[in-house]
Structure formats: structure tokens, C-alpha cells
Amino acid sequence: MSDRANKAARLHVRRGALGDAARYDDFEVPYEDGMSVLDALRWIRIHLDSTLAIRYSCINANACKTCMALVNGVVEYTCIAKLTLEGTTVEPLPKRPLIRDLVTDLLPEKEKLLR
Ligand code: FES
């Protein structure tokens, strides 16, 4: 019998946009050894809540650097951070402007178009 059939990982995920009151949603995801936090977030989007805003590109090559978030209070690449059965809190980067949920504005100021 696979690990996935027996175990579930819990994620506590910050939701909302800039200016919204802090809100967290809890999700349970089927767990498999070796899963990343990004694997769990993608599973949530597909199976539980398609409105969850996340950003990623290379998925697990650690090349695009777009999946960064706070995982249990530490800045991590969610595609590298291993999911555990102890529970995982995922929040947006604290020093970047929040767009929505786990997505922050990563573009350096000098690369933004002038208005
Ligand atoms: S998804 Fe590309 S570094 Fe994480």
C-alpha cells in the first residue's frame, strides 16, 4: 500500500490581497514521501481551491526562483522545501509587495514601467 493512501499533510495558508485582514485557510493534502510544499500547493489548486494564487515556473529545477514563500517562518523555495506530516504554514514573502495569497511582486523597482 502506498504512503499516499494512508497519510495526509496539513497546510495552513495565508490568503487575501494587499490591505485585506490576515486570513488563513487550512487544507489536507494526500502525502507521499518526497513531496515538496509546491507539490502540495499545486494539488490544492487542482483538487480543492482553484482560486489559490501561487507562482512557479520550473517546478523543481530551482532555476526560476519565482516560487519563494515563507514556509514555517523561513524564506524557502517551495519547490525545494519538503512537505512534512507535522503541519506546514505557508505565507507570502514579508518584504515584497503582496499581490494575492502567496504571490508577491518580485520585479525590482528599476525594472517596472514608468507610469
Ligand atoms: S519553481 Fe522554479 S525555483 Fe521553484
Side-chain angles (χ1 to χ4, degrees), residues 35-89:
M35 281 181 79
S36 69
V37 171
L38 180 59
D39 290 334
L41 294 170
R42 293 174 65 225
W43 192 93
I44 291 167
R45 275 186 54 100
I46 293 167
H47 299 282
L48 299 177
D49 187 346
S50 62
T51 70
L52 175 63
I54 59 176
R55 180 190 289 128
Y56 62 93
S57 181
C58 66
I59 297 184
N60 62 5
N62 194 19
C64 73
K65 319 288 190 208
T66 61
C67 65
M68 288 187 294
L70 276 187
V71 177
N72 293 329
V74 176
V75 175
E76 301 258 21
Y77 295 114
T78 60
C79 67
I80 302 294
K82 292 295 178 215
L83 190 66
T84 70
L85 291 170
E86 281 74 53
T88 303
T89 297

